[in-house]
Amino acid sequence: MKKIAVFASGSGSNFEAIVRAEQEGRLGAAVSLLVCDQPQAAVIQKAEALNIPVFSFLPKQYSSKQAFEEEIVQELEHYGISFIFLAGYMRLIGSALLHAFEGNIINIHPSLLPAFPGKDAIGQAWEAGVKITGVTIHYVDEGMDTGRIIAQEAVNIRRTDSKETLTNAIQAIEHRLYPEVIDELAGKLERSF
Ligand code: GRF
């Protein structure tokens, strides 16, 4: 079974959905590490409750992004990780991680990219008044939400929606789609070895 790491900075609802999928035999991969750049984030308690090892760090205690990413790479190697899945990790990935895990870093974003990259994509879509938005899962490159798209799913914004109901609809898709994509990618990698 391929070992994967999830990177998150916040509440960790996607992290939890991925671990639940593993527990229910729907993942085809083992969530073996949570990496978190916010030592107070709620996702850390979720990982502890689910018995997943955590590497948390404070970026400002390091001299540079290169310095903390080199330490992350060491942790990932220690745990034998082959894939990184970003789930609300609020930082651009730098060259140390990109080189060490080239082609094996994936992100989920709550819009139909290339529309509404960056922070608060749901709020951006809501303010723009678009009638369709959605979820994108994509490979990570050095840009902000710019890598090659793996999967997308659309959500219609109805007249009766509020920003809150739209957020709930998007999260429900994320929690189903991300485990499905992880399962598919992990299976492909397994077969090619
Ligand atoms: C998700 O909407 C994800 O698409 C985005 O950040 C959010 C993380 O939410 N990149 P959570 O921490 O998984 O609840």
Side-chain angles (χ1 to χ4, degrees):
M1 188 89 87
K2 288 288 150 201
K3 293 185 177 169
I4 67 169
V6 177
F7 284 34
S9 306
S11 74
S13 69
N14 279 282
F15 167 77
E16 194 168 24
I18 294 165
V19 176
R20 295 274 177 233
E22 181 192 349
Q23 289 172 341
E24 292 164 13
R26 294 184 280 116
L27 201 67
V31 182
S32 303
L33 185 65
L34 170 74
V35 174
C36 181
D37 63 340
Q38 299 282 348
Q40 308 299 327
V43 67
I44 292 180
Q45 281 122 51
K46 291 194 168 102
E48 284 166 358
L50 292 160
N51 279 319
I52 308 289
V54 175
F55 175 65
S56 70
F57 64 99
L58 261 180
K60 63 178 182 220
Q61 289 181 343
Y62 293 79
S63 56
S64 63
K65 180 180 291 225
Q66 179 80 15
F68 66 71
E69 285 200 345
E70 278 171 6
E71 204 166 310
I72 295 174
V73 169
Q74 276 181 17
E75 287 291 320
L76 295 167
E77 285 172 353
H78 171 78
Y79 282 94
I81 302 294
S82 36
F83 268 124
I84 296 171
F85 292 91
L86 310 182
Y89 181 68
M90 301 303 284
R91 265 168 211 285
L92 279 179
I93 298 295
S95 56
L97 272 166
L98 281 171
H99 285 145
F101 283 83
E102 208 187 339
N104 288 330
I105 309 179
I106 287 116
N107 182 42
I108 188 163
H109 184 77
S111 75
L112 292 178
L113 289 172
F116 310 124
K119 283 190 186 152
D120 190 23
I122 299 173
Q124 290 184 53
W126 184 255
E127 293 304 323
V130 295
K131 301 301 173 212
I132 300 174
T133 184
V135 173
T136 303
I137 296 172
H138 64 95
Y139 288 105
V140 172
D141 60 17
E142 56 288 330
M144 171 84 81
D145 303 321
T146 48
R148 187 159 61 83
I149 291 170
I150 301 168
Q152 275 185 323
E153 210 166 295
V155 176
N156 289 310
I157 303 180
R158 295 159 303 184
R159 222 184 265 276
T160 50
D161 269 322
S162 62
K163 196 172 156 192
E164 196 189 353
T165 61
L166 175 61
T167 301
N168 291 341
I170 285 183
Q171 282 176 348
I173 291 176
E174 290 191 327
H175 298 164
R176 176 183 46 74
L177 190 61
Y178 215 5
E180 283 175 9
V181 168
I182 294 171
D183 186 47
E184 205 181 310
L185 288 173
K188 273 187 199 151
L189 192 74
E190 208 81 67
R191 279 196 292 278
S192 65
F193 266 52

